Amino acid sequence: MAIPAAAGVLVVLLAWLAGPGLLGIDNGVLGAPVQAEVTNPAPCGQADAKETVKFTVAGKAHEGTLDGCGHGRGERVEVAVPEAVPDQGAVAVTLADTSMGASDGRRPLGMALLVFACFSGGMFVYRWLSIPLRPRPGTAS
């Protein structure tokens, strides 16, 4: 009983130390959120649609490309701008609400499900090993 329990505790501890990426949750922030204005919208009917947006960082106007579609010309969107913005050329930006990481209950729920899975596996092994061996019928003892 102690070995399956210790293995379950070890798995949960290693999963916790591995971080949120193990459970498919990325807490990494891809940049600072900035208000941007769509200057060249893209229709959603084409594959790999990219829109052009303009935004201001540190008092300087920049242009960026946004992987997305369906926004209107002049529509304001919040985008995540990388920390290092080049002085010239278009900057690749993403929508801020899709890249700011997980601040909801997905990681605790994932950890709770992992703990339950470890407990269930340990109990299965315990029950399997506690079944008494019975001689097969027709064999002499």
Side-chain angles (χ1 to χ4, degrees):
M1 170 87 169
I3 292 175
V9 169
L10 180 66
V11 167
V12 171
L13 180 66
L14 290 176
W16 185 263
L17 294 176
L22 179 68
L23 300 175
I25 302 168
D26 184 18
N27 282 337
V29 177
L30 298 178
V34 173
Q35 286 291 324
E37 181 180 338
V38 177
T39 57
N40 189 11
C44 289
Q46 59 184 339
D48 199 25
K50 292 194 184 296
E51 295 181 329
T52 305
V53 296
K54 66 178 180 178
F55 55 92
T56 304
V57 174
K60 296 175 98 178
H62 296 278
E63 190 172 277
T65 57
L66 173 66
D67 286 340
C69 63
H71 297 103
R73 185 179 305 275
E75 183 177 347
R76 302 206 45 91
V77 293
E78 191 172 60
V79 295
V81 179
E83 291 183 16
V85 179
D87 289 336
Q88 295 180 356
V91 179
V93 297
T94 58
L95 288 173
D97 60 348
T98 60
S99 63
M100 296 312 290
S103 61
D104 55 10
R106 291 184 290 175
R107 184 169 190 224
L109 179 62
M111 287 302 295
L113 291 173
L114 181 66
V115 168
F116 180 70
C118 289
F119 175 75
S120 299
M123 288 307 295
F124 174 76
V125 169
Y126 172 72
R127 295 292 292 160
W128 184 266
L129 294 177
S130 66
I131 297 173
L133 296 177
R134 297 183 185 108
R136 292 186 185 166
T139 59
S141 303

